[in-house]
Amino acid sequence: MSFEEIRYEVADHVLTITLNRPDRLNAFTPTMGRELIEAFDQADADDDVRAIIVTGHGRGFCAGADLGGGGGTFDWRDRQREDEIPRDGGGVVALRIFELTKPIIAAINGPAVGVGITMTLPMDVRLAAEGAKIGFVFARRGIVPEACSSWFLPRIVGISQAMEWVATGRVFSAEEALAGRLVRSVHPAPEVLDTARALAAEIAGDASPVSVALARRMMWTMLGAEHPMEAHMADSRAMFARGQSSDAVEGVTSFLEKREPQFTDKVSDGLPELFPRREEPVFS
């Protein structure tokens, strides 16, 4: 598949998606949003992909929405059809990431501002480079946090920290992001992608892809659960299904034989239904 604003590279079961508008610090555009969704669709359909990394080309990760349109950048009336509210493009990308069956890591190699940071919130792990500047700058642009970040950010860092960053709209350091638990770790800039690759390689090499896919769905879905019984029901369904699998046999056998496991179950063959009574919300 050919892309204009991202790069798509698979090696050793790890897909690296590189935001590729370095002359604009990889600023987000509708084209980039569409291409990210296409890339995630392709990754989900490819059993050779067991983990995903998203990073930026050049000295930036993503400088937020491309503001080349000037003061009318966020005026969406030309997108409106009849009385329908146009969907936020960052939110469409965030929801697609939320639905991924593959674990995904953000290697924040430089500035990540606006949608450049909110798009990483549904990713499973965020690593940042020393010197990377991060900001939820929406209030300073006269708009509001988007990309479903009002759901994700307080769950990741807590409501008090989330509101401080959002209400001030200030740009802060990778070290402050680490202290606020927004990122997992901070590394010298030349090392951040290699660190992400090492983590992705551990996932891709040592874990059952189907088990990881199910665990990802369980963890993210349970963030909105009302009672631990919902987790117990999902756990029980997942354990019943996986306990009969060839991967479960291989996982135990390889452990007893003191060798590396060779998991053969495929995500593309389908996943068991863990939440049979859950209804997917619709945009309205």
Side-chain angles (χ1 to χ4, degrees):
M1 184 176 291
S2 178
F3 296 107
E4 296 177 18
E5 297 188 1
I6 67 172
R7 295 204 309 255
Y8 186 107
E9 301 162 300
V10 180
D12 300 323
H13 303 297
V14 176
L15 163 63
T16 301
I17 296 174
T18 305
L19 308 181
N20 194 25
R21 300 185 71 222
D23 56 320
R24 300 286 293 174
L25 286 179
N26 304 314
F28 185 91
T29 69
T31 297
M32 182 181 287
R34 288 191 299 270
E35 291 186 354
L36 284 170
I37 290 171
E38 290 173 12
F40 296 139
D41 288 346
Q42 184 172 331
D44 259 347
D46 185 356
D47 287 312
D48 189 46
V49 174
R50 298 187 178 184
I52 302 170
I53 297 170
V54 178
T55 193
H57 183 198
R59 64 185 183 88
F61 178 76
C62 177
D66 193 314
L67 303 181
T73 296
F74 300 110
D75 188 342
W76 293 353
R77 282 175 291 186
D78 61 343
R79 304 187 198 176
Q80 190 173 24
R81 296 180 181 177
E82 299 179 350
D83 293 328
E84 294 182 359
I85 296 297
R87 294 187 66 174
D88 159 45
V92 175
V93 172
L95 288 169
R96 182 61 188 88
I97 295 171
F98 178 76
E99 295 295 340
L100 275 172
T101 61
K102 314 296 171 76
I104 181 168
I105 301 164
I108 302 172
N109 57 299
V113 177
V115 69
I117 189 62
T118 57
M119 76 160 76
T120 73
L121 299 180
M123 298 182 190
D124 301 302
V125 181
R126 283 161 297 282
L127 314 177
E130 294 174 352
K133 298 299 183 182
I134 297 168
F136 299 91
V137 297
F138 307 97
R140 297 195 181 197
R141 305 292 180 268
I143 54 172
V144 296
E146 37 59 273
C148 312
S149 56
S150 59
W151 192 90
F152 287 106
L153 185 60
R155 285 168 168 79
I156 295 168
V157 305
I159 186 64
S160 179
Q161 180 66 87
M163 273 306 303
E164 178 188 335
W165 283 338
V166 167
T168 63
R170 61 183 170 79
V171 173
F172 52 92
S173 67
E175 289 72 22
E176 183 173 339
L178 177 63
R181 305 185 70 177
L182 177 62
V183 301
R184 171 256 205 187
S185 51
V186 176
H187 308 270
E191 298 177 12
V192 66
L193 184 55
D194 286 342
T195 305
R197 285 172 174 158
L199 177 57
E202 184 177 0
I203 296 169
D206 298 339
S208 159
V210 174
S211 294
V212 172
L214 289 172
R216 185 176 199 274
R217 178 52 42 232
M218 292 157 66
M219 292 284 185
W220 279 108
T221 302
M222 285 302 99
L223 284 180
E226 294 182 356
H227 193 281
M229 178 58 78
E230 295 183 51
H232 178 53
M233 291 188 291
D235 297 348
S236 299
R237 292 187 182 97
M239 286 295 293
F240 183 72
R242 295 306 291 151
Q244 304 169 49
S245 71
S246 59
D247 274 7
V249 174
E250 172 64 7
V252 174
T253 303
S254 62
F255 173 77
L256 296 175
E257 295 178 352
K258 296 181 172 59
R259 60 174 174 81
E260 295 298 317
Q262 300 296 319
F263 294 118
T264 57
D265 290 349
K266 297 179 179 179
V267 173
S268 64
D269 288 337
L271 302 175
E273 177 56 69
L274 304 184
F275 308 99
R277 290 187 291 275
R278 179 171 174 255
E279 294 185 7
E280 192 70 25
V282 297
F283 184 83
S284 61

